[in-house]
Amino acid sequence: QDLHGQGSCQGSHLNTAAILRALFLLAIASSLLLTSASRPPRAVTGILSGGGRLASRGAASWMRAASGSSSARALADGAVAHGELLPAELVARVPHREKLVLSFVLAFLEANALPAQLLVNGGYVRDLLLGSVPDDLDLSLCLRECDPAVSVATVMHGLPGFALERPELNVSSVTITTILSDASKDKNVDTAKAHLVVGSPPERIEVDFMPTIGEETYDEFNRVPERDVRGTPEQDALRRDLTIGAMLLHVFQPRGSGPSGGGGAAAPDAAAEALQWRLLDFYGGPAH
């Protein structure tokens, strides 16, 4: 009976996810068909026949259909591959205040000697690769090489005080709202929403943080999976259902270009503009 209950729980969860994914894919297909007067982009057939995982060339066609910009066409034709840096044309589309946020988080990690990777995920990556101005900044922290006591929650706890200690970084305040369901607390998964006041004149930017997630397992008593929050970027990307949503951007400071208190008022701005953005596309999808 225990095994039957476990199977029923997992089956119900998977069926619901499959229905939602199918509706989402049909919505994408309908949108693409409406925007193309000629034959449908290959992405339509790639999405529907790929079980929710976009075929490499199909995704490239989708990018060409979705945007007429030269940057999107260049990406679709293979200008940026897995592990390569984004071209300056795309990086220039990232709002400067959001670059300041990323530079601030990287400065915090460096100041606390945390060997964590900072990754941009979600629709932000998709919009940027399509040549649009991205929004809704979602970040993942890969804590795999950090001390076991380090978590997203402990990193968040340190950010408000760091903003007060380092006003030259142009982040005047950080307010953290931790988002945890009771079940997620028991499963040791923490995500956080942060409101950062950035730049001059000041502007409030909302950022979501989460860990990179590895293997997910279910038990017979709870439909919330138990997650390995020390997953690699590759594990985190490959657990996602859609190739277009499974790409990550590893953001880092080139050696010697980080912000410093002695570099004058322009130093944090220069450091933010010097950020490097490396595409992680483990499915080999739209950017190939």
Side-chain angles (χ1 to χ4, degrees), residues 229-246:
V229 294
R230 287 292 197 274
T232 65
E234 181 174 8
Q235 288 174 320
D236 188 74
L238 295 182
R239 74 183 178 85
R240 301 169 187 263
D241 289 329
L242 292 172
T243 305
I244 195 66

Side-chain angles (χ1 to χ4, degrees), residues 12 18 38 65 100 103 110 124 134-135 142 151 158 171 216-217 227 247 251 262 288:
S12 175
S38 58
L100 284 172
S103 184
E110 181 180 9
Y124 197 97
D135 59 7
C142 181
S151 66
V171 175
E216 298 180 332
T217 58
R227 298 179 172 98
M247 292 178 293
V251 182
H288 279 287

Side-chain angles (χ1 to χ4, degrees), residues 85-86 91 106 118 249-255 257 271-279:
L85 298 178
L86 292 191
V91 175
L106 287 171
L118 179 63
L249 288 171
H250 176 207
V251 182
F252 60 97
Q253 288 281 6
R255 188 178 300 274
S257 67
E273 292 299 329
L275 291 174
Q276 299 286 288
W277 304 66
R278 188 182 306 279
L279 177 67

Side-chain angles (χ1 to χ4, degrees), residues 2 12 60 65 76 80 89 141 169 190 194 209:
D2 289 343
S12 175
V80 180
E89 178 186 356
L141 292 171
L169 296 178
D190 50 348
F209 291 83

Side-chain angles (χ1 to χ4, degrees), residues 96-114:
H96 180 68
R97 282 179 170 81
E98 294 178 4
K99 292 177 181 176
L100 284 172
V101 169
L102 295 168
S103 184
F104 170 79
V105 175
L106 287 171
F108 173 84
L109 297 176
E110 181 180 9
N112 289 274
L114 297 177

